[in-house]
Amino acid sequence: MELYRLSIEEARLALDSGEARPSEIVQSLFERIDSVEEKINSYVTLTKEAAFADALQAEAAIRSGRKNALTGIPLAIKDNICTEGIKTTCSSEMLAHFIAPYESTVTAKLKMQGYTLMGKTNLDEFAMGSSTENSAFGATNNPWDTTRVPGGSSGGAAAAVAADECIAALGSDTGGSIRQPAAFCGVVGLKPTYGRVSRYGLVAFASSFDQIGPITKTVRDSAILLNVIGGHDTADSTSAPVELPDFTSLLEKDIKGMKVGIPKEYFIEGVDKEVEQSVRKGIQTLESLGAIPVEISLPHTEYAVAAYYILATSEASSNLARYDGVRYGLRVQGDDLTDMYMRTREEGFGAEVKRRIILGTYALSSGYYDAYYRKAQQVRTLVKEDFERAFEQVDVIATPTAPTPAFKAGEKTEDPLQMYLTDIFTISVNLAGVPAISVPCGFTSDNLPIGLQIMGKHFDEASILRIAHAYEQATEWHKRKPAL
Amino acid sequence: MQYEAVIGLEIHAQLLTDTKIFCGCSTRFGSDPNTQICPVCTGMPGVLPVMNRKAVEYVVRTGLALHCDISSYSRFARKNYFYPDLPKGYQISQFELPLCEHGFVDITVEGNSKRVALTRIHLEEDAGKNIHEGGGHDSAVDLNRAGVPLMEIVTEPDIRSAAEAAAFMKKLRAIVRYIGVCDGNMEQGSLRCDANVSIRPSGQEAYGVKTEIKNMNSFRYVEKALDYEIKRQIRSLQDGERIIQETRLWNTEKGVTESMRSKEEAHDYRYFPDPDLMPIEFEKSLIDRIQSELVELPDEKHRRFVDEHGISDEDAGLLVAERETAEWFEVAVKAGGDPKNICNWIKGDFAKLLNDNNTQINESLVTPQMLVAMLSLVEKGTISGRIAKTVFEEMYRTGKTADEVVEEKGLVQISDASGIETIIDEILNNSTGEVARFREGETKLMGFFVGQVMKATKGKANPKIVNELLRKKLN
Ligand SMILES: [Zn+2]
């Protein structure tokens, strides 16, 4: 078997048994990249030299028995997560040459566990988008059909995992940016509970939504990575001081008797027929494994997208104010200070980023704050309460991850509203702050992957990982690979 | 027509924490530019603020000292605007739900007491500093100050004159210094004051159009600037002009307030709750603890000095104006000195020496115990009151005790009557003319004779004995 195809779990076994050496896995991955990356464009930056150096260190560590969970495991990191000394571009002209002077908490934790960085993956600029077409470094293509988008904003990470250009990756999810590309690319994507994983070093898009999570080939790999990156961080006041269980040890528990909520608001007009069929079949599979489906309602779902786009853009308008050409990043000289600001931000930001800054600025403006921002916060509370009520009845909730499979590149770029609606099933989770995972649950007749989303209670990633794992064990979808 | 001024103040006080409000950088003043910075306070992508609990505690302490209600639930908000000294493009401040509300400060102006109500006190971060050097087109930014914790205190429009504003600032400065939350240095900018000023015909309820006055970086300038602004507004109205709502800067050199032309007239700061910081929630027990640790405040000390030590109201005011002076005084009283006597020294000779040498009382080589020891030498008659001034100056200069100075310089008072008598006899013999004139009724010559004796004894003769003997011999 080709080493680049390995999951984290398999690579660990191969490395520990001496079947494979870290440098061989790295070598295999870079050869894979050489052959497919031209078609996919997953990466913004490849750190080949450093990866081989890391691999040598990993070999020494394994030989001397000083290995950790990720020693010798090559991972890719979404390019909005800061890595000291390596470019972090956010796929933006603004930060095209920006090298962070510090390491994010998550990559510091990966380093502690001995990981090897393959490179930084492409995204929609500043994570704003659902197709990875809004990148200053070119769009990423879907490995299953390169004329289609990989989803977004973590499209580079999801495509890299799907195309076996890395063993696994970290993405970030603000309104679906891990789960939707995972669904489009036929891989596993986990958005942890807000506060489970430190945001320190994640370049902020919408601070009260952003959450880092794994994109992997298997559910177990997501559990392995969450074990490493989760936990309270004193550098992030919004990270929660809650216990971090060993998620891998909880995977095998029986799902018999688990109640799975099926919200009627997620099976509506406009959902692709094949998607709906696959998801319903997926739920039947869960039932056959002993889970009990329960019809539920999340009544405020229809307001979620609107509330999200007000709150997220409001926060973004403030978060992106720091890119002013004064201290770092792009500076375009102007006649005076205001002119410098305007030229820098005009040239540095792409159209979608500008659109969202303007939207958010408007929503926060005096005279509009109550009508937009405050109202949207109230909707957010209602959506949260929907979930609280639902989780009094059920253990997890199952839905499609996205209403459609991957769409054609360019299909929605001219229509932002259509683009925003592709997140219709992922956004509520971010409003409520609960965790959710997307697992492959089938393919369309065009051989495009379909994702099943499983949502859980606050800090109960264990349940969604467990049910997703049981589903994965009972099906073969995750074993299919794109023909590249 | 008679006009009345209406003034509200907005005070910014830098808190005396060792580290900045949202990162671990030092707050030390006067270091080289950009030597006290990190990814957080320079607004690097991806960084997050972590609240300095000490800063919150300092604001609560201030709130308690200023009789405020302390909010059990408070929140940070972002104030959005672009400026090169503002690294994130927003300032983390408070908007809805500040830490403290509804306090007051009592002030006294020309014997009249008055209460100035406070609207709120909130916590925020300071910005950096733009530096324009060499006169070129370029500017530089120093971010050492960015993220230094700042407390904003807002008063109600209760102040009616420049003198009241100055009295308020002095009182507030004394309090923040007493409770150790701010060094109160207006010149260095650790205590800053902006004022909203308007005038209205006496007796009218409605407020006039207000101007905001900035750049008043001393108590003197607060008083001068506001005096000027009130007169300017009255003059404008009398000349039939309208007052424009605007920001005006105090020009120290010209002694006038000047309109600050600003490109953007009205700022929309787009405040919203900062999603990076959790709300600040207080247990009552924490507030109780801070309350119990609060030191005695100037007003309480003032009352006690009058009641317990018989100090006059005015003198007590002088003593409590600086915490160090009040504490120095109290240590001296405890060491056994007479309170009024100590007070007279503190506000007299000692104050002059401190002032001439630009020294703080607690930095002086003279300790309260040393002053008390010297005063007891005067009381015992070992030295005269006049010599005491010389002795004190020497103590101040060298840090030696009164005993050491008196010993070294041979300043012990001559109280031996026969010795003094010999000297008096000699003087009277040499001044027959003056003696005759005195006896003819020119009694003011007594001073001349005393002076001669003091000169002959280098001031050491006991003045009481000199006076007695002279009177006996001349009459
Ligand atoms: Zn700092």
Side-chain angles (χ1 to χ4, degrees):
Chain A
M1 147 172 217
E2 298 93 337
L3 292 175
Y4 61 79
R5 290 230 189 264
L6 298 177
S7 66
I8 296 177
E9 183 189 12
E10 291 161 346
R12 180 80 275 141
L13 282 172
L15 288 167
D16 292 354
S17 65
E19 240 174 277
R21 288 185 296 128
S23 56
E24 289 169 345
I25 298 179
V26 169
Q27 178 66 37
S28 167
L29 283 166
F30 277 104
E31 280 167 14
R32 173 70 173 174
I33 288 168
D34 284 343
S35 76
V36 302
E37 175 65 359
E38 212 179 328
K39 287 180 261 181
I40 310 294
N41 193 32
S42 297
Y43 286 95
V44 173
T45 302
L46 284 164
T47 50
K48 193 169 179 177
E49 226 170 282
F52 277 107
D54 283 355
L56 285 181
Q57 277 200 348
E59 268 170 45
I62 290 168
R63 257 202 315 276
S64 63
R66 286 179 290 106
K67 69 166 176 66
N68 292 307
L70 300 176
T71 302
I73 307 289
L75 305 176
I77 304 294
K78 187 178 182 181
D79 207 19
N80 61 349
I81 296 173
C82 287
T83 43
E84 189 175 358
I86 295 159
K87 272 197 294 188
T88 300
T89 69
C90 294
S91 291
S92 177
E93 285 294 346
M94 189 64 89
L95 294 177
H97 307 287
F98 175 71
I99 294 177
Y102 74 100
E103 188 81 28
S104 72
T105 296
V106 288
T107 50
K109 285 181 166 184
L110 294 179
K111 272 189 171 179
M112 291 277 289
Q113 293 300 320
Y115 95 122
T116 298
L117 175 64
M118 289 294 294
K120 307 289 293 283
T121 56
N122 202 12
L123 62 147
D124 285 297
E125 185 180 3
F126 285 101
M128 297 179 184
S130 308
S131 65
T132 317
E133 290 168 292
N134 306 327
S135 167
F137 308 112
T140 296
N141 302 317
N142 193 314
W144 294 89
D145 176 350
T146 52
T147 67
R148 290 175 186 269
V149 303
S153 66
S154 310
V161 174
D164 292 313
E165 294 182 278
C166 60
I167 301 296
L170 288 189
S172 68
D173 190 316
T174 307
S177 283
I178 286 175
R179 291 158 288 155
Q180 185 253 26
F184 281 13
C185 293
V187 294
V188 177
L190 170 67
K191 184 208 89 83
T193 311
Y194 184 79
R196 172 65 89 187
V197 178
S198 169
R199 292 187 293 118
Y200 188 76
L202 169 65
V203 179
F205 156 19
S207 315
S208 73
F209 300 90
D210 296 342
Q211 192 64 192
I212 296 170
I215 297 176
T216 57
K217 296 174 184 174
T218 67
V219 174
R220 182 178 292 279
D221 280 7
S222 278
I224 291 170
L225 286 183
L226 187 59
N227 272 356
V228 174
I229 63 173
H232 179 57
D233 178 13
T234 52
D236 175 2
S237 314
T238 63
S239 86
V242 293
E243 195 209 348
L244 184 74
D246 174 3
F247 294 105
T248 55
S249 72
L250 301 170
L251 286 176
E252 308 288 352
K253 269 173 73 183
D254 204 347
I255 68 161
K256 226 169 238 137
M258 271 183 97
K259 288 188 183 146
V260 180
I262 318 295
K264 60 172 190 278
E265 292 80 3
Y266 284 69
F267 296 88
I268 48 168
E269 192 89 17
V271 178
D272 180 277
K273 282 287 152 271
E274 289 181 298
V275 168
E276 182 168 348
Q277 271 169 18
S278 292
V279 170
R280 290 215 185 268
K281 247 192 218 145
I283 294 165
Q284 280 165 19
T285 306
L286 293 176
E287 203 176 348
S288 72
L289 294 169
I292 305 159
V294 180
E295 284 279 331
I296 60 161
S297 172
L298 297 167
H300 295 94
T301 302
E302 62 172 310
Y303 307 110
V305 173
Y308 169 83
Y309 273 97
I310 285 170
L311 296 174
T313 57
S314 293
E315 292 181 17
S317 72
S318 175
N319 281 333
L320 272 66
R322 68 189 61 195
Y323 309 108
D324 57 6
V326 173
R327 280 148 292 116
Y328 51 76
L330 180 73
R331 176 190 293 175
V332 183
Q333 293 295 352
D335 298 335
D336 56 20
L337 179 65
T338 309
D339 195 40
M340 187 273 279
Y341 283 155
M342 297 209 313
R343 285 171 191 250
T344 298
R345 290 168 71 82
E346 164 64 34
E347 288 186 30
F349 291 140
E352 182 59 25
V353 170
K354 283 180 204 155
R355 181 178 297 124
R356 296 197 192 195
I357 290 173
I358 291 167
L359 255 171
T361 303
Y362 182 80
L364 288 174
S365 297
S366 95
Y368 297 99
Y369 183 88
D370 287 334
Y372 295 110
Y373 184 85
R374 205 185 295 279
K375 184 69 82 189
Q377 282 290 16
Q378 287 162 354
V379 172
R380 185 174 196 175
T381 304
L382 293 175
V383 169
K384 250 183 227 176
E385 288 167 0
D386 277 359
F387 279 97
E388 279 161 20
R389 262 191 305 274
F391 283 127
E392 283 168 13
Q393 300 173 53
V394 298
D395 299 300
V396 297
I397 295 169
T399 74
T401 305
T404 66
F407 47 87
K408 288 272 188 196
E411 191 183 314
K412 295 180 198 282
T413 42
E414 297 307 313
D415 189 348
L417 268 184
Q418 277 308 308
M419 190 70 95
Y420 295 172
L421 285 172
T422 65
D423 294 336
I424 186 166
F425 293 154
T426 46
I427 271 173
S428 293
V429 158
N430 299 82
L431 285 167
V434 296
I437 193 167
S438 177
V439 285
C441 72
F443 286 83
T444 66
S445 49
D446 292 337
N447 201 33
L448 295 173
I450 296 166
L452 166 67
Q453 176 172 239
I454 298 162
M455 310 166 179
K457 298 174 188 172
H458 278 111
F459 298 105
D460 188 20
E461 289 88 353
S463 287
I464 59 173
L465 283 165
R466 189 171 128 204
I467 205 156
H469 177 70
Y471 177 79
E472 191 183 76
Q473 295 303 299
T475 57
E476 300 283 311
W477 308 117
H478 64 287
K479 292 184 180 158
R480 279 211 207 169
K481 291 285 178 182
L484 276 165
Chain B
M1 195 186 289
Q2 279 287 97
Y3 286 99
E4 174 187 62
V6 176
I7 302 169
L9 299 178
E10 235 183 74
I11 295 101
H12 288 94
Q14 274 183 9
L15 297 174
L16 284 172
T17 54
D18 295 332
T19 55
K20 293 186 181 181
I21 182 169
F22 297 123
C23 64
C25 292
S26 166
T27 53
R28 201 151 43 88
F29 180 82
S31 304
D32 287 339
N34 296 317
T35 52
Q36 287 161 199
I37 57 170
C38 73
V40 175
C41 58
T42 54
M44 283 288 163
V47 297
L48 295 168
V50 177
M51 188 184 71
N52 180 339
R53 290 212 70 90
K54 197 102 207 159
V56 177
E57 207 175 307
Y58 280 7
V59 175
V60 173
R61 197 190 285 176
T62 309
L64 291 170
L66 301 180
H67 318 282
C68 292
D69 301 331
I70 311 299
S71 313
S72 57
Y73 183 93
S74 174
R75 204 155 59 180
F76 284 107
R78 293 186 184 177
K79 178 179 181 177
N80 295 285
Y81 66 96
F82 285 95
Y83 206 62
D85 68 6
L86 190 70
K88 299 186 292 297
Y90 59 84
Q91 179 195 30
I92 303 179
S93 179
Q94 296 194 278
F95 188 56
E96 294 170 334
L97 306 173
L99 272 167
C100 314
E101 288 181 284
H102 313 127
F104 63 83
V105 172
D106 288 329
I107 56 170
T108 306
V109 177
E110 287 166 3
N112 299 317
S113 303
K114 147 159 213 171
R115 177 159 290 184
V116 177
L118 303 178
T119 315
R120 59 188 272 153
I121 307 177
H122 75 236
L123 181 58
E124 61 187 28
E125 59 179 339
D126 210 342
K129 242 192 321 204
N130 285 4
I131 305 168
H132 310 276
E133 261 170 9
H137 191 63
D138 293 345
S139 295
V141 184
D142 174 12
L143 293 177
N144 282 352
R145 205 180 63 182
V148 168
L150 212 52
M151 165 171 75
E152 183 176 311
I153 303 170
V154 183
T155 78
E156 292 289 307
D158 286 353
I159 296 167
R160 294 288 171 271
S161 70
E164 283 182 16
F168 177 91
M169 284 306 292
K170 280 182 190 154
K171 185 59 160 296
L172 183 70
R173 175 176 182 272
I175 293 170
V176 295
R177 284 169 53 83
Y178 264 68
I179 61 177
V181 300
C182 173
D183 68 14
N185 192 325
M186 287 192 82
E187 283 78 13
Q188 282 182 4
S190 48
L191 186 66
R192 314 198 272 267
C193 166
D194 301 333
N196 286 305
V197 184
S198 64
I199 57 163
R200 62 184 173 191
S202 299
Q204 178 182 303
E205 274 279 315
Y207 295 127
V209 176
K210 66 183 179 189
T211 58
E212 191 184 4
I213 312 300
K214 287 177 179 284
N215 198 36
M216 305 176 286
N217 53 6
S218 77
F219 296 114
R220 213 157 49 91
Y221 292 146
V222 168
E223 193 156 356
K224 279 188 159 181
L226 297 185
D227 246 337
Y228 174 88
E229 179 62 15
I230 293 165
K231 286 191 183 123
R232 184 191 72 83
Q233 291 192 13
I234 292 175
R235 218 182 312 119
S236 295
L237 286 191
Q238 283 171 342
D239 293 350
E241 292 165 16
R242 278 184 27 219
I243 311 285
I244 306 159
Q245 184 166 346
E246 61 181 349
T247 300
R248 298 178 69 86
L249 290 187
W250 167 247
N251 183 321
T252 308
E253 280 87 57
K254 294 190 202 154
V256 300
T257 64
E258 294 171 324
S259 178
M260 189 175 105
R261 278 178 302 277
S262 130
K263 270 172 274 173
E264 283 162 273
E265 279 309 319
H267 260 300
D268 182 355
Y269 290 120
R270 292 174 282 120
Y271 283 100
F272 74 105
D274 192 328
D276 286 335
L277 288 155
M278 304 300 276
I280 311 165
E281 287 180 82
F282 276 115
E283 305 273 320
K284 191 171 176 304
S285 61
L286 178 65
I287 298 174
D288 290 346
R289 173 176 66 75
I290 298 171
Q291 177 86 64
S292 71
E293 288 168 1
L294 212 55
V295 297
E296 190 181 29
L297 297 170
D299 282 352
E300 298 161 29
K301 264 202 194 328
H302 186 126
R303 266 193 298 279
R304 202 161 52 74
F305 286 2
V306 172
D307 295 347
E308 284 180 17
H309 302 315
I311 302 292
S312 75
D313 201 50
E314 194 190 333
D315 283 353
L318 286 174
L319 288 176
V320 303
E322 297 283 351
R323 178 180 176 173
E324 290 78 7
T325 311
E327 283 175 351
W328 204 97
F329 167 78
E330 287 195 279
V331 175
V333 171
K334 253 197 206 116
D338 171 56
K340 280 191 206 167
N341 218 347
I342 295 166
C343 173
N344 285 336
W345 275 91
I346 289 178
K347 66 174 194 176
D349 291 72
F350 198 5
K352 189 175 176 310
L353 286 168
L354 291 170
N355 203 29
D356 290 349
N357 295 288
N358 200 13
T359 308
Q360 299 299 314
I361 195 164
N362 54 332
E363 294 164 355
S364 162
L365 295 174
V366 181
T367 64
Q369 290 80 0
M370 285 161 67
L371 173 68
V372 172
M374 189 202 75
L375 292 177
S376 84
L377 287 184
V378 177
E379 212 174 299
K380 281 189 287 189
T382 311
I383 55 171
S384 69
R386 245 182 71 184
I387 287 293
K389 288 173 185 281
T390 318
V391 172
F392 189 82
E393 267 186 49
E394 190 64 12
M395 289 163 65
Y396 182 90
R397 210 172 53 75
T398 62
K400 288 179 180 159
T401 65
D403 280 332
E404 286 167 348
V405 174
V406 168
E407 165 90 44
E408 272 174 29
K409 305 237 159 180
L411 295 174
V412 176
Q413 179 165 264
I414 304 167
S415 299
D416 162 25
S418 66
I420 295 174
E421 197 170 355
T422 316
I423 295 165
I424 288 177
D425 286 345
E426 203 184 314
I427 287 166
L428 295 186
N429 282 338
N430 291 333
S431 325
T432 46
E434 283 83 358
V435 172
R437 277 159 57 203
F438 181 87
R439 287 186 174 143
E440 277 158 27
E442 215 177 313
T443 52
K444 66 169 197 249
L445 280 168
M446 185 55 119
F448 164 77
F449 296 122
V450 172
Q452 290 294 307
V453 177
M454 287 301 176
K455 200 169 154 192
T457 59
K458 296 199 177 94
K460 287 184 288 183
N462 183 325
K464 213 172 116 206
I465 296 171
V466 171
N467 271 301
E468 264 169 33
L469 286 174
L470 274 173
R471 215 164 285 129
K472 207 164 77 188
K473 296 216 172 249
L474 288 165
N475 292 328

